[in-house]
Amino acid sequence: MSRDTLPRPTDAELGILRVLWDRGASTVREVHETLRDGSGYTTVLKTMQIMTEKGLVMRDESQRAHVYTARVPRENTQRQLVTDLVDRVFGGSPARLALQALSTKKTSPEELAELRQLLESLEKEAES
């Protein structure tokens, strides 16, 4: 399975991926202790085994406690999920998604400055 065609992670899988992106390589126990979402150890273990089969994580079996890592960086998964959301919900319009997102939650001054820079960069690209 190529990196571009990985299945869309479920909410539970995204929670595990967030732990792996934040912590780096981790055992099931470390992920379970970090999650603190009420999931049992065996549920986390089974989910991570399924994630390995789906290609979302890689498992290093060289140690007694298997160590898992996310197969793709956070940004790649975010891009995949946003692209899917834009296509399914916003008719392929990234602008509609951005407008909806910005009108739904309060945006910090830092985030607004980052958005301005992005818009300026996109405008320059469009002019060239």
Side-chain angles (χ1 to χ4, degrees):
M1 183 176 294
S2 81
R3 293 176 145 224
D4 296 334
T5 60
L6 289 177
R8 185 171 56 211
T10 65
D11 289 346
E13 291 168 345
L14 274 174
I16 290 169
L17 285 171
R18 276 193 290 273
V19 171
L20 294 174
W21 289 321
D22 292 343
R23 286 184 49 91
S26 303
T27 64
V28 174
R29 183 157 313 284
E30 292 166 336
V31 171
H32 175 253
E33 290 171 356
T34 303
L35 278 175
R36 299 181 187 269
D37 66 354
S39 298
Y41 175 86
T42 53
T43 300
V44 175
L45 170 63
K46 184 64 179 167
T47 303
M48 292 178 77
Q49 289 170 338
I50 291 168
M51 291 172 73
T52 302
E53 292 169 14
K54 291 168 77 173
L56 295 171
V57 298
M58 296 179 294
R59 178 175 53 217
D60 177 356
E61 300 177 10
S62 65
Q63 304 173 40
R64 186 177 183 282
H66 297 172
V67 176
Y68 291 80
T69 54
R71 182 156 179 235
V72 297
R74 180 187 317 248
E75 295 75 19
N76 293 36
T77 301
Q78 289 173 338
R79 190 174 304 112
Q80 175 188 358
L81 292 173
V82 168
T83 299
D84 182 60
L85 182 66
V86 166
D87 290 343
R88 287 186 308 118
V89 180
F90 295 96
S93 172
R96 286 186 191 151
L97 169 66
L99 291 169
Q100 184 63 40
L102 290 169
S103 67
T104 303
K105 296 236 180 180
K106 185 166 173 54
T107 308
S108 73
E110 295 81 13
E111 290 170 322
L112 288 172
E114 197 174 338
L115 286 167
R116 278 189 199 93
Q117 283 183 322
L118 175 62
L119 289 172
E120 289 171 9
S121 167
L122 292 172
E123 285 174 345
K124 287 178 185 170
E125 282 181 26
E127 292 170 358
S128 353

